[in-house]
Amino acid sequence: MTALTHLNAAGEASMVDVSAKAVTVREAWAEGFVRMSAYTLRLIADGGHKKGDVLSVARIAGIQAAKRTADLIPLCHPLMLSKIQVDFTLDDARSGVSIRALCKLSGQTGVEMEALTAVSVAALTLFDMCKAVDPGMVIEGIRVLEKRGGKTGHWQADV
Amino acid sequence: MTALTHLNAAGEASMVDVSAKAVTVREAWAEGFVRMSAYTLRLIADGGHKKGDVLSVARIAGIQAAKRTADLIPLCHPLMLSKIQVDFTLDDARSGVSIRALCKLSGQTGVEMEALTAVSVAALTLFDMCKAVDPGMVIEGIRVLEKRGGKTGHWQADV
Amino acid sequence: MTALTHLNAAGEASMVDVSAKAVTVREAWAEGFVRMSAYTLRLIADGGHKKGDVLSVARIAGIQAAKRTADLIPLCHPLMLSKIQVDFTLDDARSGVSIRALCKLSGQTGVEMEALTAVSVAALTLFDMCKAVDPGMVIEGIRVLEKRGGKTGHWQADV
Amino acid sequence: MTALTHLNAAGEASMVDVSAKAVTVREAWAEGFVRMSAYTLRLIADGGHKKGDVLSVARIAGIQAAKRTADLIPLCHPLMLSKIQVDFTLDDARSGVSIRALCKLSGQTGVEMEALTAVSVAALTLFDMCKAVDPGMVIEGIRVLEKRGGKTGHWQADV
Amino acid sequence: MTALTHLNAAGEASMVDVSAKAVTVREAWAEGFVRMSAYTLRLIADGGHKKGDVLSVARIAGIQAAKRTADLIPLCHPLMLSKIQVDFTLDDARSGVSIRALCKLSGQTGVEMEALTAVSVAALTLFDMCKAVDPGMVIEGIRVLEKRGGKTGHWQADV
Amino acid sequence: MTALTHLNAAGEASMVDVSAKAVTVREAWAEGFVRMSAYTLRLIADGGHKKGDVLSVARIAGIQAAKRTADLIPLCHPLMLSKIQVDFTLDDARSGVSIRALCKLSGQTGVEMEALTAVSVAALTLFDMCKAVDPGMVIEGIRVLEKRGGKTGHWQADV
């Protein structure tokens, strides 16, 4: 049975040794969704057309969080991301905001966790700014969409 | 139309003034779910029976993250949480790990965001530790379950 | 000669004891200015009319920094700010962006350093976003405008 | 019209991609000034001759802040500085303390923001330690003096 | 058998609920020692007489670390320390530097961990600054000396 | 007389320039010990056999702290550790818990401080979790055991 990579034979946590891994350009896309009432979505959209501030705040929060991934997730390696991007799409059909994040670096480990962290904190920030009018929102579908680089090469989520 | 509380009349972000709000005991429960393959769930369960390390690491990550909520979410107030608890349930039927977090304080603002942050980072940590064997996991259903205290009083999510 | 309050009799740094100070509502306004070319100011203004993103990013950075003041300035006490606000004015006459920040709390020490930190980091963020087109910008005039509350009461800068 | 580098075509913030930039040795000098009363300057000078503690504390604060630049300024890349230096000159003629900082690294982006952040936080720390005797101090003239390395090569501020 | 307070009945970690504890003034003293060669001690002493910089840096590091205790130690509560003090004594007889720290607050939990953290990080900083000349130093005797306030009242270490 | 490397000729602190140092694989082992009553040691051991949570929490705290070394110790360089491991041994003979940490990276400076920081914070975390039953514990013997890589090459502590 394949072992979990962050546990040694005794089942104890440790940060995996990546010293010998090749330095390659690696990138990862992640996504997530904040489901909300049509009313809340309209509030964001109205703000978005005029000032965009709700999405701006969430975008910055996501970018900042990606840089703090190793500080938040105990067994993640510290990384020097060379690119972070967070995009939003207002989705009337699904009644919510779709979030996508891209992280990129030239380094020894993948950046899925950084992209997932950017999406998660952007989602939490949207939640925070809208919770007074819509406490029943749900954050869902946070997952890796695609990653490139490293030994495992290209990986893509099922549609 | 009810305004978003974190934007002023000009649509600009600011941290809401809570100086005049009463100091009351406030608590919030949040939940989330990490959906994974039956195989991955069994790896955690096997570890769990013997050492519990995967869940221990995720629990600590969630507790630590709750304390950093105001550092992660731009318009959250700094708070002094008096209690943080993170619980996991392995769910064979839904094939994944269910996460619940409780945050509590005596203060001037609610602690939903702290509970949601604890759940989110605990979920990301589980993801991190299992991603080598199961990159297709999905984090879903992150929401507030219940909150107490403050002007709005008791609030409970729909079942 | 009046001693510097953060040094003991032997000239050594320590964090001043505020245990016995009264808990009162305290607030402080600070200001600063980023002087830049007319061209750069126009770039911000044009962005500002459409999306406001440069100022949004700087505003969030200033708000976040205010919350980290005690982490940045060694002898500052940790505080729980109840309100943070950062405002910008584009000033064609002086060719630059004027920044004002307000911090507020109910506590035992003043919040001037928090307001000054918000202004400073908002200014640095504007600098960062415009430096590729205008590396010669200058940040100037960072000072306390006014403070209220505490034993010293109301204080206002000279005009 | 030259675009601001941190905004995409839609005016949204993102962290610029530096993956393809060359790794070169880069360094930057920044400066700033804290204007204060002659009396306050003398207090620092007297301390300085005997213990140097006010300047020591400000120096350490500046060095520590340089390392946290990417954490403070949303669109800055995380960097691994190889050298940080913060110098002070007591200036009786201008009645204040002049601050200079040098940052250096071998990497893909410049270090002006790190040097400016070191100067800014050193200035704020001086302010904090002297504000009880001189609340009217002003921080001014924060700017880049010179930078070397990278595609743009040598750049120097006008005198 | 008395249970460890940070583990629930199932042996899982959680942050103890202090909501119902009284707010009292609490303080704690901790100490530690860095044992080094007579030569290294003389280097510090010589610097100390002229500039004091080694001890200044270690003092600031200790003060800053005390404020970050809850960020470093997973089950510590966030606190708002009202006083932090770090003192050093050069001890020729024992050949090393003795460190004492005092932390104080008005709150619901004790501050031993904050005082111990201040001592530990001050000791690590001394180690860092002297390790090139004396890599064999040893940090020892880190313990609580005395604490006051709270339900357990006064406690003092054995001599 | 050999100068302390972190002070310049004027006795002022600065971060040593490592730009010109070779990138080599470097690793360091450090150790420490938490002396406690036999009763407390048995509590940990009993927990350890069933759930291991006390040691799990301390292990995670140590790993996280190693990543924050440059944030805690003013003149340490930021580093990207490629491996962190923290091990515990319950020692009935000496009545306490022995802690060992390994840090590793490919870079320009050694990682002793990171290993010592991991040990120190793991020790503080054990202290925190046991202090209610045993406030008289002592942390001792924190030192570097061995380091490899870099110009100075292999170094080992005396037995």
Side-chain angles (χ1 to χ4, degrees):
Chain A
M1 196 176 194
T2 309
L4 295 176
T5 48
H6 294 83
L7 301 183
N8 64 15
E12 296 160 356
S14 81
M15 213 172 82
V16 177
D17 192 347
V18 299
S19 318
K21 293 175 82 173
V23 172
T24 65
V25 173
R26 293 153 194 266
E27 60 178 59
W29 281 97
E31 71 169 4
F33 188 77
V34 184
R35 188 154 43 87
M36 55 186 62
S37 71
Y39 174 78
T40 308
L41 186 59
R42 188 153 53 93
L43 278 176
I44 294 178
D46 288 352
H49 291 148
K50 288 179 200 144
K51 304 273 167 176
D53 236 19
V54 173
L55 300 184
S56 284
V57 177
R59 181 180 287 116
I60 294 305
I63 289 172
Q64 286 288 67
K67 293 191 265 183
R68 281 179 210 147
T69 301
D71 211 41
L72 289 170
I73 302 181
L75 304 179
C76 274
H77 292 82
L79 292 181
M80 293 207 304
L81 293 171
S82 57
K83 162 88 179 157
I84 308 169
Q85 184 183 323
V86 179
D87 299 320
F88 301 97
T89 310
L90 305 188
D91 185 333
D92 283 320
R94 294 172 65 200
S95 196
V97 179
S98 172
I99 307 169
R100 287 204 177 195
L102 164 67
C103 288
K104 198 170 163 183
L105 96 163
S106 171
Q108 294 175 303
T109 60
V111 292
E112 308 93 282
M113 292 317 303
E114 283 69 18
L116 289 164
T117 301
V119 166
S120 297
V121 173
L124 289 168
T125 302
L126 286 182
F127 198 109
D128 178 47
M129 296 183 79
C130 301
K131 70 180 189 296
V133 295
D134 191 2
M137 287 173 291
V138 181
I139 299 171
E140 45 186 44
I142 296 177
R143 61 172 185 156
V144 179
L145 282 175
E146 189 174 350
K147 56 179 191 152
R148 292 176 186 279
K151 205 176 63 182
T152 51
H154 188 221
W155 181 92
Q156 206 161 355
D158 297 332
V159 186
Chain B
M1 194 177 195
T2 310
L4 293 176
T5 48
H6 293 84
L7 301 183
N8 64 14
E12 296 160 357
S14 82
M15 213 173 82
V16 178
D17 193 347
V18 298
S19 316
K21 293 176 79 172
V23 173
T24 63
V25 172
R26 293 154 194 267
E27 61 178 59
W29 281 97
E31 71 169 4
F33 188 77
V34 185
R35 188 154 44 85
M36 55 187 61
S37 72
Y39 174 78
T40 309
L41 185 59
R42 188 153 52 93
L43 278 177
I44 294 178
D46 287 353
H49 291 147
K50 287 179 201 143
K51 304 273 166 175
D53 234 22
V54 173
L55 300 183
S56 285
V57 176
R59 181 178 287 117
I60 293 305
I63 289 172
Q64 285 288 66
K67 292 191 266 183
R68 280 178 210 148
T69 301
D71 212 42
L72 289 171
I73 302 181
L75 304 179
C76 275
H77 292 81
L79 293 180
M80 295 206 304
L81 294 172
S82 56
K83 161 87 180 159
I84 309 169
Q85 182 183 323
V86 179
D87 299 321
F88 300 98
T89 311
L90 305 189
D91 184 332
D92 283 320
R94 294 173 66 203
S95 196
V97 178
S98 174
I99 307 170
R100 289 203 174 194
L102 163 68
C103 288
K104 199 170 164 184
L105 96 164
S106 170
Q108 294 175 302
T109 60
V111 290
E112 307 92 287
M113 293 316 303
E114 282 70 16
L116 289 164
T117 301
V119 166
S120 296
V121 174
L124 289 168
T125 302
L126 286 182
F127 197 110
D128 178 47
M129 295 182 80
C130 301
K131 70 180 190 297
V133 294
D134 191 0
M137 287 172 290
V138 181
I139 300 171
E140 47 187 42
I142 297 178
R143 61 173 186 155
V144 179
L145 281 175
E146 188 175 350
K147 57 179 190 150
R148 296 175 183 277
K151 204 176 64 183
T152 50
H154 188 221
W155 180 90
Q156 206 162 355
D158 298 332
V159 186
Chain C
M1 194 176 196
T2 309
L4 294 176
T5 48
H6 294 83
L7 301 183
N8 64 14
E12 296 160 354
S14 81
M15 213 172 83
V16 178
D17 192 347
V18 299
S19 317
K21 294 175 79 171
V23 173
T24 64
V25 172
R26 294 153 193 267
E27 61 179 59
W29 281 96
E31 71 170 4
F33 188 77
V34 184
R35 188 155 44 85
M36 55 187 62
S37 71
Y39 174 78
T40 308
L41 186 59
R42 189 153 52 94
L43 278 178
I44 294 178
D46 287 353
H49 291 147
K50 287 178 201 144
K51 305 274 167 174
D53 235 22
V54 173
L55 300 183
S56 285
V57 177
R59 181 179 287 116
I60 293 305
I63 290 171
Q64 285 289 65
K67 292 191 266 183
R68 280 178 211 152
T69 301
D71 211 41
L72 289 171
I73 302 181
L75 304 179
C76 275
H77 292 81
L79 293 181
M80 294 207 304
L81 294 171
S82 56
K83 162 85 179 159
I84 308 169
Q85 184 183 323
V86 179
D87 298 322
F88 301 97
T89 312
L90 304 189
D91 185 333
D92 284 320
R94 295 172 65 201
S95 196
V97 179
S98 174
I99 308 170
R100 287 201 177 197
L102 163 68
C103 288
K104 198 170 164 183
L105 94 165
S106 170
Q108 294 174 304
T109 61
V111 290
E112 308 92 287
M113 293 316 304
E114 282 69 17
L116 289 164
T117 301
V119 166
S120 298
V121 174
L124 289 169
T125 302
L126 285 182
F127 198 110
D128 178 47
M129 295 182 80
C130 300
K131 69 179 191 296
V133 296
D134 191 0
M137 287 173 290
V138 182
I139 299 171
E140 45 186 45
I142 297 178
R143 61 173 186 154
V144 178
L145 282 175
E146 188 175 350
K147 55 178 192 152
R148 295 175 184 277
K151 205 176 62 182
T152 51
H154 188 220
W155 180 91
Q156 205 161 358
D158 298 332
V159 186
Chain D
M1 194 175 198
T2 309
L4 294 175
T5 47
H6 294 83
L7 302 183
N8 64 14
E12 296 159 355
S14 81
M15 214 172 83
V16 177
D17 192 346
V18 299
S19 318
K21 293 176 81 172
V23 173
T24 64
V25 173
R26 293 153 194 266
E27 61 178 59
W29 282 96
E31 70 169 4
F33 188 76
V34 185
R35 188 155 43 84
M36 55 186 63
S37 72
Y39 174 79
T40 308
L41 186 59
R42 188 153 52 95
L43 278 177
I44 294 178
D46 287 354
H49 291 147
K50 286 179 203 143
K51 305 273 167 176
D53 236 20
V54 173
L55 301 183
S56 283
V57 177
R59 181 178 288 116
I60 293 305
I63 290 172
Q64 285 289 67
K67 293 191 266 183
R68 281 179 210 150
T69 302
D71 211 41
L72 289 170
I73 303 181
L75 303 180
C76 275
H77 292 82
L79 293 180
M80 293 205 305
L81 294 171
S82 56
K83 162 87 180 159
I84 308 169
Q85 184 183 323
V86 179
D87 299 320
F88 301 97
T89 311
L90 304 189
D91 184 333
D92 284 319
R94 295 173 65 202
S95 197
V97 180
S98 174
I99 308 170
R100 286 202 177 195
L102 164 67
C103 288
K104 199 170 163 183
L105 96 164
S106 170
Q108 294 175 305
T109 61
V111 290
E112 308 92 287
M113 293 315 304
E114 282 69 18
L116 290 164
T117 301
V119 166
S120 297
V121 173
L124 290 168
T125 302
L126 286 182
F127 198 111
D128 178 47
M129 296 183 79
C130 300
K131 70 180 190 297
V133 294
D134 190 1
M137 287 171 292
V138 181
I139 299 170
E140 46 186 44
I142 297 177
R143 60 172 185 157
V144 179
L145 282 175
E146 189 175 349
K147 56 179 191 150
R148 293 174 185 278
K151 205 176 63 183
T152 51
H154 188 222
W155 181 91
Q156 205 162 356
D158 298 333
V159 186
Chain E
M1 196 178 194
T2 309
L4 294 175
T5 48
H6 294 83
L7 301 184
N8 64 15
E12 296 160 355
S14 82
M15 214 172 81
V16 177
D17 192 348
V18 299
S19 316
K21 293 176 81 172
V23 173
T24 65
V25 173
R26 293 155 195 266
E27 60 179 58
W29 281 96
E31 70 169 4
F33 188 77
V34 184
R35 188 154 43 87
M36 55 186 63
S37 72
Y39 174 78
T40 308
L41 186 58
R42 188 152 54 93
L43 278 176
I44 294 178
D46 287 353
H49 291 148
K50 288 176 201 146
K51 304 275 167 175
D53 235 20
V54 174
L55 300 183
S56 284
V57 177
R59 181 180 287 115
I60 293 306
I63 290 172
Q64 285 289 67
K67 293 192 265 183
R68 281 180 209 147
T69 302
D71 212 40
L72 289 171
I73 303 181
L75 303 179
C76 275
H77 292 82
L79 292 181
M80 294 207 304
L81 294 172
S82 57
K83 162 87 179 160
I84 309 169
Q85 183 183 323
V86 179
D87 299 320
F88 300 98
T89 311
L90 304 189
D91 185 334
D92 284 320
R94 294 172 64 200
S95 196
V97 179
S98 173
I99 307 169
R100 286 203 177 195
L102 164 68
C103 288
K104 198 169 163 183
L105 96 164
S106 169
Q108 294 174 303
T109 61
V111 290
E112 309 92 284
M113 293 317 302
E114 282 70 17
L116 289 164
T117 301
V119 166
S120 297
V121 173
L124 289 168
T125 302
L126 286 182
F127 197 110
D128 178 46
M129 296 182 79
C130 301
K131 70 181 189 295
V133 294
D134 191 1
M137 287 173 292
V138 181
I139 300 171
E140 45 186 44
I142 297 177
R143 61 173 185 155
V144 179
L145 281 176
E146 189 174 350
K147 57 179 191 151
R148 293 175 185 277
K151 205 176 63 182
T152 50
H154 188 222
W155 181 91
Q156 205 162 356
D158 298 332
V159 186
Chain F
M1 195 176 195
T2 309
L4 294 175
T5 49
H6 293 83
L7 301 183
N8 64 14
E12 295 160 357
S14 82
M15 213 171 83
V16 178
D17 191 347
V18 299
S19 316
K21 293 175 80 172
V23 173
T24 64
V25 172
R26 292 154 195 266
E27 61 178 59
W29 281 97
E31 69 169 5
F33 189 77
V34 184
R35 187 155 44 87
M36 56 185 64
S37 71
Y39 175 78
T40 309
L41 186 60
R42 188 153 52 95
L43 279 176
I44 294 178
D46 288 353
H49 292 148
K50 285 177 203 146
K51 305 273 166 176
D53 234 21
V54 173
L55 300 183
S56 284
V57 176
R59 182 179 287 117
I60 293 305
I63 289 172
Q64 285 288 68
K67 292 191 266 182
R68 281 177 209 149
T69 301
D71 211 42
L72 289 170
I73 302 180
L75 304 179
C76 274
H77 292 82
L79 293 181
M80 294 206 304
L81 294 172
S82 57
K83 162 87 179 159
I84 309 169
Q85 183 183 325
V86 179
D87 299 320
F88 301 98
T89 311
L90 304 188
D91 184 333
D92 284 319
R94 294 173 64 201
S95 196
V97 178
S98 173
I99 308 170
R100 288 204 176 195
L102 163 69
C103 288
K104 199 169 164 184
L105 97 163
S106 169
Q108 293 175 303
T109 61
V111 291
E112 308 91 285
M113 293 316 304
E114 283 69 18
L116 289 164
T117 300
V119 166
S120 297
V121 174
L124 289 168
T125 302
L126 285 183
F127 198 110
D128 178 48
M129 295 183 81
C130 301
K131 70 181 189 298
V133 294
D134 190 1
M137 286 172 291
V138 182
I139 299 171
E140 45 185 46
I142 296 178
R143 60 173 187 155
V144 179
L145 282 175
E146 189 173 349
K147 57 180 189 149
R148 295 174 184 278
K151 205 176 62 183
T152 50
H154 188 221
W155 181 91
Q156 206 162 355
D158 297 332
V159 186

